[in-house]
Amino acid sequence: MARIFVITDRRSEWKALVSGAYSISGEKPLVVTADKAIAQAAADFGADAALMSGAEVFWNYTDTIAALVEELQPAGCFFGTSPDCRLVSGRLAAKLGISAIPDAKSIDNTYAIEHLIYGGSVVQTSKSTGKQFVALFGPGQFEEAAIPEQGTVMNVDYVEPKWQIAVKEKKTKEISAVDLTAAKRIVAVGLGISKKEDLDMVRELAALLQAEMACTRPIAEGLDWMEPERYIGISANFVKPDLYISLGISGQVQHTVGITDSKVILSVNKDPDCAMMKQYSDYCVAEDLYKIVPALIERLKK
Ligand SMILES: Cc1cc2nc3c(=O)[nH]c(=O)nc-3n(C[C@H](O)[C@H](O)[C@H](O)COP(=O)(O)OP(=O)(O)OC[C@H]3O[C@@H](n4cnc5c(N)ncnc54)[C@H](O)[C@@H]3O)c2cc1C
């Protein structure tokens, strides 16, 4: 079987993608990256690495990656889900004359890919009609397992694209160190929380439980009360903790597709008929979270 390319610009996700690619094809994957640290770490993890350089932004590497695909003829390309990966995967797929498959959940050894469609409410299985496939896997889709070999790093010639994207301005952004996909306990909040300051009591509860804090998308994108790395669902993280506590979350499918691998789900919601309570929870508390969270904190402190 041909090897799979793993294309990513995020230090948090390449190991899982490499492990998944190796388990499917049985061949050492090739990590294609512009990050020297990722390339070296990938070789130590057992994969080979192709180190690109010369472009100011990751987006401008599409032609370089396409040339590598043409030369090495991989079975396909696993992409991560960063904004850059989404953009480059689409451009690469267009160059290969196929479709990029976003929101991929799993892949078998015939390269049939299960992926979410209709906002996460339906799982569809698709196969590429071209020589390669291009699929985007979010965090948490594969277990990390090192390959018992040492890989090599090769340098790749930059292929200058006809249309380059130029950087006009750069703003630094704080990167959150949280890795929800590895968390054993998660306390997640939704729009049932009415003020940003009220997150402090949830933070206290999470600390007492030694849990990570997480949220639904509107809390992170829209209200901007928590970092985007902390929201769960189709557009972000898929988690699999032993305990997932949901506080004021209604259970819309775009969120719940990311929590179904949790071992135990406990929900607190004023509405006993919401989907989170009726369809997804092992334990339900039909109450105001503003009563339950302080009571839990008090009990845990004792
Ligand atoms: C293309 C697309 C992608 C999306 N991707 C994601 C994604 O990845 N992740 C994600 O999370 N969302 C995603 N969304 C948004 C998603 O559809 C929902 O809008 C969102 O998940 C709802 O968040 P929520 O449960 O916090 O809010 P709501 O649906 O408003 O629910 C709030 C809940 O709080 C309860 N409540 C209110 N007050 C209290 C109280 N005092 N005590 C207890 N309970 C209370 C209410 O009964 C209600 O059930 C996506 C949407 C689209 C269109």
Side-chain angles (χ1 to χ4, degrees), residues 201-217:
M201 69 173 178
V202 182
R203 222 165 262 127
E204 190 178 358
L205 175 64
L208 285 165
L209 289 168
Q210 294 177 319
E212 283 290 356
M213 280 263 285
C215 61
T216 56
R217 180 165 150 177

Side-chain angles (χ1 to χ4, degrees), residues 12 173-180 212 227-230:
S12 57
K173 176 185 164 230
E174 275 196 23
I175 309 258
S176 164
V178 67
D179 179 8
L180 289 181
E212 283 290 356
E227 309 105 288
E229 289 79 7
R230 288 196 188 267

Side-chain angles (χ1 to χ4, degrees), residues 171-246:
K171 285 184 185 166
T172 45
K173 176 185 164 230
E174 275 196 23
I175 309 258
S176 164
V178 67
D179 179 8
L180 289 181
T181 63
K184 292 283 170 217
R185 292 176 190 170
I186 290 177
V187 177
V189 288
L191 290 176
I193 203 96
S194 49
K195 292 196 300 302
K196 187 176 179 188
E197 304 84 79
D198 299 339
L199 289 175
D200 286 344
M201 69 173 178
V202 182
R203 222 165 262 127
E204 190 178 358
L205 175 64
L208 285 165
L209 289 168
Q210 294 177 319
E212 283 290 356
M213 280 263 285
C215 61
T216 56
R217 180 165 150 177
I219 296 283
E221 282 183 357
L223 289 172
D224 298 341
W225 288 352
M226 285 169 71
E227 309 105 288
E229 289 79 7
R230 288 196 188 267
Y231 85 82
I232 292 172
I234 187 172
S235 324
N237 293 290
F238 286 69
V239 296
K240 40 183 182 315
D242 295 335
L243 175 64
Y244 181 86
I245 299 182
S246 119

Side-chain angles (χ1 to χ4, degrees), residues 57 79 83 171:
V57 289
F79 275 88
K171 285 184 185 166

Side-chain angles (χ1 to χ4, degrees), residues 103 126 164 204 240 299:
D103 301 319
S126 301
Q164 301 231 28
E204 190 178 358
K240 40 183 182 315
R299 179 64 67 91

Side-chain angles (χ1 to χ4, degrees), residues 190-192 216-217 232-235 248 250 254-255 269-270 288-289:
L191 290 176
T216 56
R217 180 165 150 177
I232 292 172
I234 187 172
S235 324
S250 61
Q254 291 87 2
H255 180 75
N269 199 304
K270 281 201 294 201
D288 189 332
L289 72 88

